[in-house]
Amino acid sequence: MELAAIQQALTAEKLDGWLFYDFRQSNPIAYNVLSLSKAELYTRRWFYLVPVRETPTALVSAVESHVLRSLPGTRRVFRTWQEMQAYLKELLRPGMRIAMEYSPLNAIPYMSRVDGGTIDLIRSFGIEVVSSANIAQRFEAQLTGEQVASHREAGQRIIAAKDILFKELGDRLRANQPLDEYSVQQRFLTLLQQAGTVPDIPHVAVNANASNPHYESTAANHSPIQRGDLILFDFWAHLPDPGAIYADYTWMAFAGTSEEIPHQPVEGRQVDDVTRAVIAEVGYADYFIHRTGHNIGTVVHGNGANLDNYETQDDRVLLPNTCCSVEPGIYLPEFGIRSEVNLLVFEHDAEITGVPPQQEITPLL
């Protein structure tokens, strides 16, 4: 348990304390943040209050007075429900803002670990209960430097395993050898293990099976992989070291050549709609006041399809071997911002020029 860090986080969030509560290990966040062993027996309610500055207090049942002994601070042992409530009332002063594993309107179910009745009880003491969601992730989600490195290394290894698998699948397709989801899944699992990672069973899903995000082929239930099929590969693993972080990726493959991949023609106005939707979603639709881009040829504003469903309704298809600008902008009264790259459209793919694209404003000093 990182008491100083918890109290610093409480200060930053302007909270008076963090009240951890659990009944029969129903609150895994409490166990993780407090570094509690889950091997012990927990059959009764317990509370642990970490005030923003004072010493923490544990409130435990007389039936299991041994629990929470690893935590710093004072201990109060209750025998009855009346004693439990009385001790809580002593600890919690009216008007305090206390974090608990609660999410208003159950907006984040991962954080809704304290039952509604317990929330009612704490509020009955004149306490403002706020969600611990933001503060908890400081201790649950932020990685150490070693963990960041473990994620990168795991990622490199499982991508390399994917590359080996894809080459093998290409060889087998060229040789007209039979393939199916389950045999490919098992081969992928072996490659991930041989890469020195600890994988879960990867997902290999063909065509309509890939429409089920959690589809998993089995020895009894799987589909063949044939020429012309679209295949989804979802794979994740971590290094075998304690505290190692997962890498988790999804790749798509086509059982054929790039020339055989079906392509849906794209109109200029469709690109504009997609781009504009991104800006609208964050509330700036009224400040994006021009088309997304224009055709480029021997003159800067060419006569091919523009990326436009705003100033005009350009339903022309983006043809192979054409070039256009992609330049969304947001123009506020105080300032305007625009980013622009160019796009070369080819028969089977596209190329961005003017790379690397700008990711942030460039300081000149």
Side-chain angles (χ1 to χ4, degrees):
M1 172 191 171
E2 303 174 65
L3 177 58
I6 290 175
Q7 291 182 321
Q8 288 173 3
L10 289 170
T11 300
E13 295 286 335
K14 297 181 173 56
L15 297 173
D16 297 304
W18 192 346
L19 181 61
F20 296 92
Y21 164 78
D22 180 65
F23 178 59
R24 296 187 174 181
Q25 298 193 37
S26 59
N27 186 356
I29 295 168
Y31 285 83
N32 293 340
V33 174
L34 298 176
S35 302
L36 293 174
S37 169
K38 297 179 183 177
E40 294 189 45
L41 184 65
Y42 300 91
T43 68
R44 299 298 193 271
R45 291 177 286 185
W46 60 258
F47 295 84
Y48 187 71
L49 176 64
V50 181
V52 66
R53 279 178 286 275
E54 295 84 5
T55 301
T57 300
L59 183 57
V60 300
S61 167
V63 176
E64 294 175 351
S65 59
H66 61 282
V67 303
L68 310 189
R69 287 197 178 277
S70 63
L71 302 180
T74 59
R75 297 172 58 80
R76 303 290 296 271
V77 179
F78 63 86
R79 296 166 297 178
T80 67
W81 65 266
Q82 294 96 333
E83 283 186 346
M84 182 194 77
Q85 293 189 11
Y87 290 156
L88 281 170
K89 191 171 183 179
E90 290 178 16
L91 288 172
L92 301 170
R93 300 183 301 276
M96 293 177 74
R97 299 182 72 242
I98 297 295
M100 296 187 75
E101 281 66 71
Y102 143 82
S103 179
L105 302 179
N106 197 29
I108 310 174
Y110 310 98
M111 291 302 305
S112 289
R113 301 295 183 171
V114 180
D115 64 278
T118 300
I119 296 293
D120 289 341
L121 173 64
I122 302 305
R123 285 174 172 162
S124 74
F125 303 136
I127 302 302
E128 180 187 354
V129 178
V130 300
S131 176
S132 65
N134 270 323
I135 192 172
Q137 68 172 349
R138 298 188 185 205
F139 304 94
E140 287 268 71
Q142 289 190 298
L143 309 179
T144 66
E146 291 79 7
Q147 289 178 313
V148 170
S150 77
H151 167 76
R152 288 174 175 153
E153 179 64 24
Q156 291 172 359
R157 293 188 189 187
I158 67 175
I159 288 294
K162 179 269 301 178
D163 292 341
I164 294 172
L165 178 72
F166 280 18
K167 183 180 183 304
E168 291 181 359
L169 295 181
D171 292 342
R172 296 192 64 176
L173 285 166
R174 277 185 286 272
N176 293 317
Q177 296 177 351
L179 292 170
D180 64 73
E181 293 171 328
Y182 183 70
S183 64
V184 172
Q185 173 208 77
Q186 293 301 300
R187 176 56 181 160
F188 200 2
L189 180 62
T190 297
L191 290 171
L192 293 169
Q193 293 168 336
Q194 290 175 347
T197 67
V198 182
D200 292 333
I201 297 175
H203 294 175
V204 179
V206 171
N207 299 332
N209 291 340
S211 296
N212 176 356
H214 288 163
Y215 171 82
E216 183 175 334
S217 59
T218 66
N221 180 32
H222 59 267
S223 297
I225 298 176
Q226 299 173 328
R227 188 72 176 254
D229 283 342
L230 183 67
I231 317 164
L232 180 146
F233 298 83
D234 186 8
F235 51 105
W236 58 101
H238 62 81
L239 298 183
D241 309 316
I245 302 301
Y246 273 95
D248 180 9
Y249 307 123
T250 300
W251 275 68
M252 301 297 301
F254 178 73
T257 66
S258 60
E259 290 75 16
E260 294 171 322
I261 298 176
H263 291 275
Q264 181 71 32
V266 177
E267 299 173 359
R269 62 180 177 177
Q270 292 174 310
V271 179
D272 186 60
D273 287 343
V274 171
T275 306
R276 200 167 298 280
V278 173
I279 292 176
E281 186 176 356
V282 293
Y284 292 105
D286 291 341
Y287 302 99
F288 183 13
I289 57 174
H290 58 68
R291 63 193 175 193
T292 293
H294 57 82
N295 176 254
I296 296 176
T298 55
V299 293
V300 70
H301 285 209
N303 288 322
N306 298 317
L307 310 184
D308 189 7
N309 197 24
Y310 184 74
E311 299 178 55
T312 67
Q313 188 180 46
D314 201 324
D315 60 0
R316 290 177 291 180
V317 171
L318 297 178
L319 295 176
N321 302 316
T322 58
C323 180
C324 61
S325 71
V326 182
E327 47 182 308
I330 297 174
Y331 305 92
L332 302 174
E334 299 82 6
F335 59 87
I337 287 182
R338 181 171 65 250
S339 176
E340 181 175 7
V341 295
N342 294 165
L343 185 70
L344 289 168
V345 180
F346 299 115
E347 186 71 39
H348 299 291
D349 58 9
E351 175 187 342
I352 296 174
T353 68
V355 294
Q358 188 174 16
Q359 301 292 326
E360 58 185 21
I361 295 174
T362 303
L364 298 180
L365 295 179

